[in-house]
Amino acid sequence: MTRVFVYGTLKRGGGNHGFLARQRFVGEARTHPGYVLYSLGDYPGMVQEATDQVGVTGELWEIDDSVLQQLDELEGVAAGLFRRITLTLAPPHDGSTVTTYLYARNVAGQTRIGPNWHE
Ligand code: PCA
């Protein structure tokens, strides 16, 4: 099992949420400051931004390793679209290390949307 922080189309109500349908929802979650979202059209990408004071909101899920592999394919990890990293979350989920998808390409010219993604 792996704990994954999702902030975009994988959230409940999101277009890719079906991948998590049989997995365990742990709770709403937020990163520490230093991360922001950019809109990439149909989905957001999270990047590190040292000056950010807020962080990114999303959901914490506990998922099977087979599903994690599916998510890596979905997010284009091998293709270099997203990179899977580990981070620690803000309270109340602080102290646990989780995995998440960081956007791996340049966001120059994209729209910065801050802490929340809504479809
Ligand atoms: N899917 C992943 C990363 C961006 C996206 O839309 C997620 O929901 O966390």
Side-chain angles (χ1 to χ4, degrees):
M1 301 287 266
T2 300
R3 289 187 155 212
V4 59
F5 171 74
V6 301
Y7 55 83
T9 58
L10 289 168
K11 291 191 299 185
R12 293 169 298 178
N16 285 325
H17 181 65
F19 284 86
L20 299 183
R22 295 168 185 277
Q23 307 303 301
R24 189 172 83 87
F25 176 71
V26 178
E28 311 265 352
R30 180 193 282 269
T31 71
H32 287 291
Y35 297 91
V36 299
L37 298 180
Y38 280 78
S39 174
L40 304 167
D42 293 339
Y43 60 91
M46 183 169 77
V47 298
Q48 277 185 296
E49 204 166 280
T51 55
D52 169 70
Q53 311 267 337
V54 180
V56 167
T57 63
E59 299 172 357
L60 181 57
W61 287 77
E62 192 169 74
I63 67 172
D64 296 331
D65 292 343
S66 61
V67 173
L68 184 61
Q69 279 182 12
Q70 292 175 11
L71 298 189
D72 282 358
E73 277 184 40
L74 175 72
E75 306 302 346
V77 170
L81 184 62
F82 284 86
R83 193 152 73 74
R84 191 148 56 72
I85 62 156
T86 58
L87 49 68
T88 57
L89 295 172
H93 300 291
D94 48 325
S96 67
T97 302
V98 304
T99 195
T100 193
Y101 293 93
L102 200 65
Y103 188 61
R105 295 191 179 155
N106 199 328
V107 292
Q110 307 286 356
T111 304
R112 188 183 188 282
I113 55 177
N116 296 301
W117 166 258
H118 302 289
E119 297 217 9

